[in-house]
Amino acid sequence: MASVLIKKALFSKTNALQKTVGIICNATRNHWNFQYKPGPYPKTPAEREAAAKKYGLTVEEYQPFPEDMGYGDYPNLPDIGAESKDPHYPYDNAELKRNFNEPYHVNAEILGEDRYNISFKPRISVMEQWCWFLGVIGGSIALYYYMEDYKFGRPVTAKQYPQDGPHYSFSSQ
Amino acid sequence: MGQMMGSYSAREVDLYMDDKPTFDHQAGFQFERKQREMVAQEEHLVSAMIPPKYRDYCSHHLLEYQVCRYKNMPMLYRCAHEKHNYLNCEHQDYVLRMKEFERERRLRLRENRLVGAA
């Protein structure tokens, strides 16, 4: 069975095989080939539906980029970093937290768990962060200037050097 | 803490750490105070390249210690006695400074008391 298929591929569809091999080689060497290019921007509802089907999305989910951005019919997916995705969901590809045939985000190369979480939610707001920072630093500076007038020292006089004139011990001759 | 509090109360008479004594050295003494003498000679200290910071009344001990180190270079434990002498001397020097501080504080308090009484 398989040998029949291979023979068929080799002898009756030579051109198609060469084309496929060419595409694979080009993709592995140059990381791009013309088939990666998105289609033209969808203008009619029918085109939109076709584009949604092509990327495995429903028509409601599908949302192309504005035409002048030059992304064609590529879908504008929600900005969710891999780090923000549910870690307990049984993904097809758990390492990348991706399912089979799931469309890639346009900036997928920086949204991985090892790079950047675009949907990062800070634990406290930026305003609160500034309040803490200025409170701590400003408080320390205020305390420093307040304490300038209350400096402590050890109860000793200046160190005695022979050139500073005669010094006397506390014993008699 | 106790050492700090020692200078804390001296603030009342405007006396702080590393101030110089202002009264006559004999004030309040029945006997003649012995003058401190510098044993080491300046040329020797310069020759031994001892920094000015350490050329105090204990520097002859330091000089001895450094000479000992030079002579016994890898076997520095042999200079333990010299080092001990030097550190003891520095300790006594510090105690003397503390005594001067306390004397200065008491003399100032006494002066304030006399001025208040007059």
Side-chain angles (χ1 to χ4, degrees):
Chain A
M1 183 72 188
S3 60
V4 174
L5 279 176
I6 291 168
K7 263 183 206 163
K8 211 174 168 185
L10 281 175
F11 298 112
S12 60
K13 287 198 171 182
T14 330
N15 199 26
L17 183 78
Q18 276 181 354
K19 212 173 155 187
T20 313
V21 169
I23 286 168
I24 291 168
C25 290
N26 196 33
T28 44
R29 282 176 193 159
N30 307 324
H31 312 290
W32 196 86
N33 71 64
F34 70 92
Q35 288 197 335
Y36 291 175
K37 194 180 171 184
Y41 183 79
K43 287 181 177 139
T44 63
E47 278 176 356
R48 274 181 86 99
E49 205 175 321
K53 193 161 180 257
K54 176 179 159 193
Y55 291 109
L57 298 166
T58 62
V59 185
E60 293 80 42
E61 283 177 323
Y62 178 74
Q63 183 66 44
F65 283 95
E67 193 171 2
D68 55 349
M69 284 183 74
Y71 284 116
D73 66 348
Y74 202 82
N76 187 359
L77 297 168
D79 291 334
I80 299 171
E83 209 172 81
S84 297
K85 288 187 182 172
D86 181 10
H88 304 295
Y89 179 84
Y91 295 101
D92 294 332
N93 188 345
E95 287 84 2
L96 299 176
K97 287 189 184 167
R98 256 175 63 76
N99 285 320
F100 183 65
N101 262 347
E102 190 180 332
Y104 263 112
H105 191 275
V106 146
N107 294 323
E109 77 273 11
I110 66 160
L111 297 185
E113 271 184 324
D114 56 336
R115 303 221 170 154
Y116 176 60
N117 185 5
I118 197 171
S119 49
F120 171 73
K121 246 180 92 182
R123 194 160 58 85
I124 55 173
S125 66
V126 174
M127 205 58 215
E128 203 177 329
Q129 288 177 31
W130 274 109
C131 282
W132 275 110
F133 174 73
L134 293 177
V136 170
I137 300 295
S140 307
I141 290 170
L143 202 62
Y144 174 81
Y145 280 108
Y146 176 72
M147 288 299 196
E148 278 284 279
D149 295 337
Y150 299 96
K151 281 200 172 169
F152 277 99
R154 285 167 281 124
V156 287
T157 50
K159 189 160 173 64
Q160 297 175 355
Y161 288 101
Q163 67 267 22
D164 296 340
H167 296 109
Y168 296 90
S169 70
F170 278 78
S171 55
S172 61
Q173 294 293 343
Chain B
M1 187 68 192
Q3 291 177 339
M4 278 192 183
M5 292 314 283
S7 71
Y8 183 80
S9 59
R11 188 178 300 157
E12 292 159 16
V13 287
D14 196 34
L15 182 63
Y16 296 95
M17 178 183 169
D18 286 347
D19 281 358
K20 290 195 171 180
T22 50
F23 290 90
D24 181 62
H25 70 274
Q26 274 307 125
F29 279 94
Q30 306 292 332
F31 53 84
E32 193 77 14
R33 286 178 77 187
K34 190 181 166 190
Q35 189 175 336
R36 299 189 79 187
E37 52 178 331
M38 179 68 171
V39 181
Q41 292 174 30
E42 182 76 10
E43 309 88 74
H44 293 174
L45 296 176
V46 172
S47 165
M49 290 197 287
I50 286 170
K53 191 178 150 190
Y54 297 106
R55 294 180 196 169
D56 55 6
Y57 286 104
C58 292
S59 48
H60 55 289
H61 290 295
L62 179 62
L63 194 60
E64 244 174 61
Y65 176 47
Q66 293 294 348
V67 168
C68 173
R69 277 174 69 94
Y70 184 80
K71 281 182 180 164
N72 302 294
M73 188 42 194
M75 315 294 190
L76 293 183
Y77 64 90
R78 289 181 186 166
C79 300
H81 294 298
E82 282 80 356
K83 185 177 182 182
H84 186 70
N85 283 340
Y86 173 61
L87 292 180
N88 262 351
C89 178
E90 284 291 349
H91 170 72
Q92 290 305 324
D93 186 71
Y94 195 86
V95 169
L96 196 141
R97 286 164 65 198
M98 285 167 74
K99 282 180 179 173
E100 283 286 0
F101 187 91
E102 181 63 16
R103 174 172 171 264
E104 180 72 20
R105 189 179 74 84
R106 290 186 189 189
L107 283 174
R108 286 193 191 184
L109 282 175
R110 178 174 177 273
E111 199 178 54
N112 287 353
R113 212 163 49 232
L114 292 179
V115 168

